[in-house]
């Protein structure tokens, strides 16, 4: 099978011909039809984060396709099922995190495209218990970005703890953010979009954002305070450390900022401001299997769809290069005919 493989951090991925893997007990083999390219794949390929993947690794955690083979003892998935293979490849199922509904925090978890081979390949092996079933009516191309980006922002927006009618900022209108605008609108929030690129903001407006702010041209925190007295919540998906501090400044008292983006680095927090205005700041990492089934169901119900740019596996290096240097509206999705 053809696969794109990270063999050295920061170097182009190698396009290799590898044997088709065999599913073990409890596993399934998925013939990949579409595979979204997440900014996390770029972080992985560059070794951006302190916890680096062991090389070589096939990245990709938004693969969708048909199950073509099942291992022993698989009962929940059948050959022919349309499934997605998420970031959470598997968790232990027994620890406090797993037992309390936080399997995404399991210390023994394995991550697709990071700890185990991911979806930048014609076939991928998945744990049958962790694949998502794709609802009817969503094709492979548009389902792929929901498996990470859609799930992550669905969960992140739940963590904002806002109510219908509240003002919620989506900071960063990339692959995650343009889906966040749609999920936030579906949840009944009034959506403010911020980015540094006008084409992204135009897309956000067309998807339901009622206010858009170019953070390159105006100070978004000052602008939001002048217009509406501060936002109730924010979801930061921007790949920029500056955006995180700005989001705290956008809050009205009692607001909640949820951090989704993971640019390497840190930002400083004004303690007095955080305490006196009782601002909550919390990280959020992907979502559980239950979150994923809800995120997919809501997408099917409310017609939430990514803007996609289909591409071929052979162009993966050009895509990653582009992603690092200038923003692309929507999500690039690799297609496997
Ligand atoms: P992307 O490249 O598609 O989008 C990033 C967006 O940030 C772009 O639109 C860019 O213009 C915008 N941006 C850059 N600087 C900005 C600024 N100062 N203010 C506002 N916007 C700014 O990336 P993506 O695939 O959407 O991923 C975003 C981030 O989320 C990455 O760091 C990725 O690793 C992370 N991520 C986290 C999770 C999680 O579970 N927490 C899941 C998936 C991705
Ligand atoms: Zn991702
Ligand atoms: Zn566990």
């Amino acid at each position: 099978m053809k696969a794109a493989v990270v063999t050295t951090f920061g170097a182009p991925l190698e396009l290799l011909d590898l044997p088709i893997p065999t599913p073990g007990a409890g596993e399934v083999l998925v013939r990949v039809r579409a595979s979204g390219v997440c900014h996390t794949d770029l972080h992985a390929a560059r070794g951006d984060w302190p916890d680096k993947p062991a090389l070589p690794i096939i990245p990709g955690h938004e693969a969708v396709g048909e199950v073509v083979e099942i291992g022993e003892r698989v009962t929940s998935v059948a050959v022919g099922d349309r499934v997605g293979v998420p970031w959470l490849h598997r968790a232990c199922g027994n620890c406090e995190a797993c037992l309390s509904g936080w399997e995404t925090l399991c210390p023994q978890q394995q991550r697709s495209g990071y700890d185990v081979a991911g979806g930048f390949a014609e076939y991928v092996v998945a744990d049958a218990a962790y694949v998502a079933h794709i609802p009817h009516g969503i094709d492979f191309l548009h389902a792929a970005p929901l498996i990470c980006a859609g799930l992550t922002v669905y969960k992140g927006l739940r963590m904002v703890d806002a109510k219908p009618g509240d003002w919620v900022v989506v900071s960063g209108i990339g692959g995650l953010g343009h889906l966040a605008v749609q999920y936030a609108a579906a949840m009944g929030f009034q959506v403010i979009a911020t980015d540094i690129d006008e084409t992204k903001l135009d897309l956000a407006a067309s998807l339901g954002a009622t206010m858009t702010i170019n953070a390159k041209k105006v100070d978004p925190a000052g602008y939001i305070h002048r217009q509406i007295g501060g936002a109730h919540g924010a979801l930061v998906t921007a790949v920029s450390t500056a955006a995180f501090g700005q989001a705290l400044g956008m809050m009205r008292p009692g607001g909640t900022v949820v951090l989704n983006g993971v640019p390497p680095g840190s930002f400083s927090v004004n303690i007095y401001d955080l305490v006196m205005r009782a601002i909550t700041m919390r990280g959020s990492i992907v979502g559980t299997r239950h979150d994923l089934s809800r995120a997919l169901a809501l997408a099917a119900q409310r017609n939430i769809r990514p803007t996609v740019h289909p591409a071929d596996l052979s162009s993966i290096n050009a895509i990653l290069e582009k992603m690092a240097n200038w923003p692309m509206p929507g999500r690039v999705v690799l297609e496997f005919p």
Side-chain angles (χ1 to χ4, degrees), residues 45 47-48 67 84 110 120 141 144 152 160-161 224 232-233 267 272 274 310 324:
D48 271 349
V67 173
Q110 290 177 302
F120 288 1
L141 190 62
T152 300
V160 170
D161 260 346
I224 289 171
H232 297 89
F267 68 101
Y272 180 85
L274 203 76

Side-chain angles (χ1 to χ4, degrees), residues 91-95 98 106-107:
C92 83
N94 298 311
C95 70
C98 284
C106 173

